[in-house]
Amino acid sequence: MGREKRMRIVMKFGGTAIANGEKIKTAANLVMQSKEAAENMEIVVVTSAIYAVTDTIYEQANRIAEEGKVEKVKEFVGELRKKHNMVASVAICDTQVLKKVKGEIKERIAEMEKALIGICLLGELTLRSLDYIGSFGERLAAPILAGAIQSAGIDAVHFTGGDIGIITNAEYGSAQLMGGIEQEVRARIMPLLGDKIPVVCGFTGETKDGKITTLGRGGSDYTATIIGAAIDADEIWLWKDTDGIMSADPKRIKNARKIPYISYIEAMELSYFGAAVLHPRAIEPVMEKKIPIRVKNLLNPDDEGTLIGEGQEKTKKAAKAITLIENTSIVNIAGTGIRSISDVASRIFSVLAARNVDIIMISHGSSERTLSLVIDSAQLERAIDAIQSIHAVDTVIRDISYNSNVCTVGVVGVGMAGTIGVAGKVFSALGNEGISVKMISQGSSEFNISFVVQKEEAYKAAQAIHDVFEMGS
Ligand code: ASP
Ligand code: MG
């Protein structure tokens, strides 16, 4: 009888799962226990930045570039160092390991300070420097998590995304993987498996010539699935501090519950619609190899969590989950020239793309005299500016108006495809509540219906739909 194949798991710890020293200790113990429980499981750990650190870094980098005050740089990196040292002191019991980790934190902070001073003096923050600065969240967390695992008794080594072969193009902020990197990642990770645990910085990549890039916000999920696919993992576990993927936001919607199973396609639809469950591209790497992803709760590790897999389990429920994108705006573009919709639309989309505006929804009436777009409100100014630039050189656009006080709601479920009356049920539920709908769209996949309502009515709308499809039971 041959030796049984060892389980091979990629475990990603999200920001909330490593929000403080205690949680990092819990995470490290989980890694150790999983390894022991499953006869020497092979584990690759992927880490996010500590909760809220990435946001703070971006905020401060912008402020520093604007204000140009070097003392602010010192103040900020001082605080960041203190925070990470404190977290490390709680997470790591072994004094030798702690000393080494504090040394690493000191080095990283010094690198970061140098870069921030450059940004401060130049008063300019390029996308490339933003990626470099942004990567420090993960690069500060990885030594601490690796140290905590070592302190729990297993040898661990930390790496950046670039170190383990995540090579990307130079689209800073949302870099794309270069072709063929799978073999490279495999070649670098496989020899590490076994007694040691590699701890990889999520979110980060590197160009061919060694410039640090990032994979887009929330990108450590993506790192985990890239690695999982490359090494043919049995499963990918995403550790969070909630029980899994929920039917709706439990803080807002009554009876929201954990969804035990969801298909790749549904999970993708949900992440496109702003549910903070997964990076929108995280499913891609594992689809072909059908590697399951499990979303698990660090505080309730025996729970199965939510399993994301290949099969499209058609439950009795046509719609499974509902998600809300809070701060969105509708932009209406009107004009006689809009008659030739494809020409004007293509110009509008290209100026918006050039300014990095993401379009969430599009609709144009059959009279073809208006085109309406839904975008993130944070991008509204940029979008209006871009559309006006067409207006300035041409007169096809008569009027641009907007409503920045709306929410976009997405209803998701594979059971909706081909089920008659789902849309009717959605909109009569809204009608019964007296909620007026400003815009509607259904993807041709029919796996989602999305619509826009006034912000004040959004939760009521979501609750009504959650109730009518009995998503909570
Ligand atoms: N730290 C990064 C972010 O906040 C990546 C991640 O957490 O997945 O976006
Ligand atoms: Mg995340």
Side-chain angles (χ1 to χ4, degrees), residues 66 96 143 386 457 471:
E66 248 167 54
Q96 279 308 104
E457 300 189 310
M471 292 182 193

Short mmCIF file of all heavy atoms in Angstrom, two decimals, residues 66 96 143 386 457 471:
data_model
loop_
_atom_site.label_atom_id
_atom_site.label_comp_id
_atom_site.label_asym_id
_atom_site.label_seq_id
_atom_site.Cartn_x
_atom_site.Cartn_y
_atom_site.Cartn_z
N GLU A 66 0.29 65.87 -1.15
CA GLU A 66 -0.39 67.17 -1.27
C GLU A 66 0.24 68.23 -0.38
O GLU A 66 0.49 69.34 -0.81
CB GLU A 66 -1.85 67.01 -0.83
CG GLU A 66 -2.84 67.17 -1.96
CD GLU A 66 -4.21 66.69 -1.52
OE1 GLU A 66 -4.70 67.18 -0.47
OE2 GLU A 66 -4.76 65.82 -2.23
N GLN A 96 13.39 35.26 20.83
CA GLN A 96 14.37 35.33 19.74
C GLN A 96 13.69 35.70 18.43
O GLN A 96 14.15 36.55 17.67
CB GLN A 96 15.09 33.97 19.57
CG GLN A 96 16.20 33.74 20.55
CD GLN A 96 17.18 34.90 20.57
OE1 GLN A 96 17.16 35.71 21.51
NE2 GLN A 96 18.03 35.01 19.53
N PRO A 143 6.05 39.15 7.90
CA PRO A 143 7.04 38.71 8.90
C PRO A 143 6.39 38.40 10.24
O PRO A 143 6.82 37.47 10.94
CB PRO A 143 7.98 39.91 9.04
CG PRO A 143 7.72 40.79 7.87
CD PRO A 143 6.35 40.47 7.35
N ALA A 386 -14.59 63.94 -17.83
CA ALA A 386 -14.23 63.21 -19.05
C ALA A 386 -15.31 63.36 -20.11
O ALA A 386 -15.02 63.61 -21.29
CB ALA A 386 -14.03 61.73 -18.71
N GLU A 457 -33.89 54.42 0.35
CA GLU A 457 -34.79 53.27 0.24
C GLU A 457 -34.06 51.95 0.03
O GLU A 457 -34.69 50.90 -0.09
CB GLU A 457 -35.78 53.52 -0.90
CG GLU A 457 -36.59 54.77 -0.65
CD GLU A 457 -37.73 54.92 -1.64
OE1 GLU A 457 -37.50 54.81 -2.86
OE2 GLU A 457 -38.86 55.15 -1.16
N MET A 471 -34.62 34.18 1.30
CA MET A 471 -33.17 33.91 1.29
C MET A 471 -32.65 33.52 2.66
O MET A 471 -31.59 32.93 2.78
CB MET A 471 -32.42 35.14 0.79
CG MET A 471 -32.64 35.45 -0.67
SD MET A 471 -31.66 36.88 -1.14
CE MET A 471 -32.37 37.26 -2.72
#
